[in-house]
C-alpha cells in the first residue's frame, strides 16, 4: 500500500502488507520527504498503483501521485514513482514546456505565477489499455485546471501532458484540457477525483465537480461551484472551452413533502455540436 502524511509535513511512503500479522519495520519499502522531492506538497488526494508499459512484453508497477498543495514551488506536478524502489521515474510539471523551459509568470493567464494563488494536483484517476496497463491519467488542480496526462509510451521520457496550447504551433507548449470558472469568472478548484469512462462516440467521457473543503475560509465560502461533463475526443490535442459546453439548470418541485429536482435546459443538446455540459450548484 501507499500512503501520505496528509495535511502534515509533506511525505509519501509505501508498505508491504502482504502478511499483516508479520508486519515490522523491514516491511517499509520506501518513504519520500521534502529532502528527496522538492515538488512534494500536502498530498491529501488519491493516487493510484498500477502497471505501466515497460518494453514490449512486460510492465512496471508504479505509484501515480498528485503532488498536493503548498509545495515549495507552488505548482501542479504529477509524480510517477517506481513501487519497488521509490525512485521517481518521471515528474510532469504543468508549469514547464515540453522543452523543459518554465512558463513565464504572465503566460496562460498567469497560472504559473509563483506569487499567485496556491496550486497543486489534488486527485488522480487513470485510463487503461487492453492489457490493463495505465496509458493516461486525469487530475485537477487547485486553480481549476483539469489535466490529461499521456502515459502511453514504454519510455518514461515520452510521458507528457496530452493537450497543447493552440497559440503555439510547435507542439512544445502544454495547456490544461479545461479550465473551470463560474459565471462571475472565479476559478473553481478541482479537488475531487475526475471520473473517466468510454464515450459512445469514441474517446473518453470525463465528469467532475468543483470546490474544496480543507482550509478554514472554505467553511463560509459561497462562490458558485459546478459539475462538468466533457467529451475528450480521440487524438484531439486542443483544449476544451466553456463556450463549447451547454449549461443545464435545476427545477425544484415539492411532491408529498418530498423535494424533487430535475435538470432543465437539456432540449436541443447534441454531441454533434457540443463538447459537453455543466450544471451550476445553486439553490
Amino acid at each position: 500500500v501507499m500512503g501520505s502524511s496528509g495535511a502534515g509535513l509533506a511525505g509519501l511512503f509505501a508498505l508491504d502488507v502482504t502478511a499483516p500479522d508479520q508486519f515490522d519495520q523491514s516491511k517499509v519499502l520506501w518513504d519520500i520527504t521534502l529532502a528527496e522531492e522538492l515538488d512534494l506538497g500536502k498530498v491529501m488526494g488519491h493516487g493510484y498503483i498500477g502497471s505501466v508499459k515497460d518494453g514490449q512484453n512486460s510492465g512496471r508497477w508504479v505509484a501515480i501521485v498528485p503532488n498536493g498543495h503548498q509545495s515549495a514551488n507552488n505548482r501542479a506536478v504529477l509524480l510517477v514513482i517506481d513501487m519497488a524502489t521509490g525512485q521517481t521515474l518521471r515528474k510532469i510539471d504543468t508549469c514547464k514546456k515540453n522543452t523543459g523551459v518554465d512558463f513565464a509568470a504572465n503566460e496562460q493567464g498567469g497560472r504559473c505565477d509563483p506569487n499567485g494563488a496556491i496550486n497543486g494536483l489534488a486527485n488522480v484517476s487513470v485510463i487503461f489499455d487492453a492489457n490493463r496497463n495505465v496509458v493516461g491519467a486525469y487530475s485537477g488542480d487547485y486553480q481549476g485546471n483539469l489535466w490529461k496526462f499521456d502515459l502511453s509510451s514504454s519510455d518514461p521520457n515520452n510521458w507528457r501532458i496530452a493537450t497543447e496550447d493552440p497559440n503555439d504551433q510547435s507542439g512544445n507548449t502544454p495547456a490544461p484540457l479545461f479550465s473551470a470558472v463560474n459565471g462571475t469568472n472565479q476559478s473553481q478548484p478541482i479537488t475531487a477525483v475526475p471520473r473517466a469512462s468510454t464515450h459512445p462516440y469514441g474517446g473518453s467521457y470525463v465528469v467532475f465537480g468543483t470546490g474544496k473543503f480543507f482550509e478554514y475560509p472554505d467553511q463560509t465560502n459561497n462562490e458558485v461551484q459546478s459539475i462538468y461533463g466533457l467529451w475528450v475526443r480521440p487524438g484531439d490535442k486542443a483544449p476544451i472551452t466553456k463556450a463549447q459546453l451547454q449549461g443545464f439548470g435545476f427545477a425544484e418541485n415539492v411532491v408529498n413533502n418530498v423535494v424533487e429536482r430535475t435538470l432543465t435546459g437539456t432540449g436541443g443538446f447534441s454531441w454533434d455540436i457540443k463538447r459537453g455540459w455543466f450544471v451550476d450548484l445553486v439553490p
Side-chain angles (χ1 to χ4, degrees):
V1 298
M2 177 189 63
S4 78
S5 51
L9 293 175
L12 293 172
F13 58 87
L15 309 174
D16 180 357
V17 293
T18 306
D21 56 336
Q22 300 174 23
F23 184 81
D24 58 28
Q25 63 184 15
S26 69
K27 300 301 190 296
V28 178
L29 299 178
W30 45 262
D31 68 284
I32 302 172
T33 67
L34 280 174
E36 293 85 25
E37 181 51 75
L38 290 176
D39 283 307
L40 192 61
K42 298 179 185 300
V43 181
M44 295 188 291
H46 294 284
Y48 186 85
I49 297 174
S51 173
V52 292
K53 294 178 182 179
D54 186 13
Q56 295 299 314
N57 300 310
S58 62
R60 176 184 291 188
W61 287 91
V62 300
I64 302 170
V65 187
N67 73 318
H69 75 290
Q70 292 185 352
S71 63
N73 291 326
N74 194 30
R75 294 178 170 183
V77 180
L78 185 73
L79 306 172
V80 186
I81 302 168
D82 189 315
M83 278 300 296
T85 66
Q87 173 192 3
T88 299
L89 297 175
R90 182 84 163 96
K91 289 197 302 184
I92 305 179
D93 187 337
T94 64
C95 283
K96 287 185 180 292
K97 300 183 181 182
N98 294 329
T99 56
V101 176
D102 286 355
F103 277 98
N106 61 348
E107 290 187 85
Q108 292 188 357
R111 63 176 183 80
C112 293
D113 184 348
N115 299 314
I118 65 166
N119 205 9
L121 285 187
N123 275 285
V124 171
S125 64
V126 300
I127 51 179
F128 305 95
D129 64 9
N131 295 315
R132 198 64 180 176
N133 285 317
V134 176
V135 293
Y138 291 97
S139 183
D141 70 27
Y142 292 89
Q143 293 183 7
N145 300 303
L146 180 69
W147 297 94
K148 180 184 179 183
F149 299 95
D150 181 357
L151 308 177
S152 61
S153 174
S154 58
D155 182 354
N157 292 318
N158 294 329
W159 296 343
R160 58 192 292 164
I161 294 167
T163 45
E164 299 175 357
D165 188 335
N167 296 316
D168 179 5
Q169 300 302 313
S170 71
N172 288 322
T173 304
L177 171 65
F178 182 79
S179 296
V181 294
N182 61 25
T184 55
N185 208 37
Q186 295 167 315
S187 295
Q188 299 172 298
I190 304 171
T191 59
V193 181
R195 297 298 185 186
S197 59
T198 301
H199 194 281
Y201 283 14
S204 298
Y205 191 9
V206 183
V207 178
F208 62 95
T210 69
K212 65 184 179 71
F213 194 76
F214 64 86
E215 294 182 296
Y216 187 79
D218 294 340
Q219 299 178 79
T220 55
N221 186 294
N222 59 3
E223 295 175 1
V224 173
Q225 304 300 330
S226 308
I227 298 174
Y228 293 89
L230 308 178
W231 175 25
V232 183
R233 296 187 299 205
D236 191 352
K237 295 184 177 181
I240 299 171
T241 67
K242 194 168 183 179
Q244 294 174 288
L245 310 182
Q246 183 162 325
F248 297 156
F250 280 123
E252 183 176 296
N253 295 294
V254 179
V255 179
N256 297 325
N257 295 321
V258 176
V259 177
E260 297 180 348
R261 292 186 177 92
T262 56
L263 284 177
T264 62
T266 59
F269 177 81
S270 171
W271 290 112
D272 293 330
I273 56 176
K274 294 294 184 181
R275 291 295 299 276
W277 50 266
F278 69 93
V279 180
D280 289 336
L281 301 177
V282 294

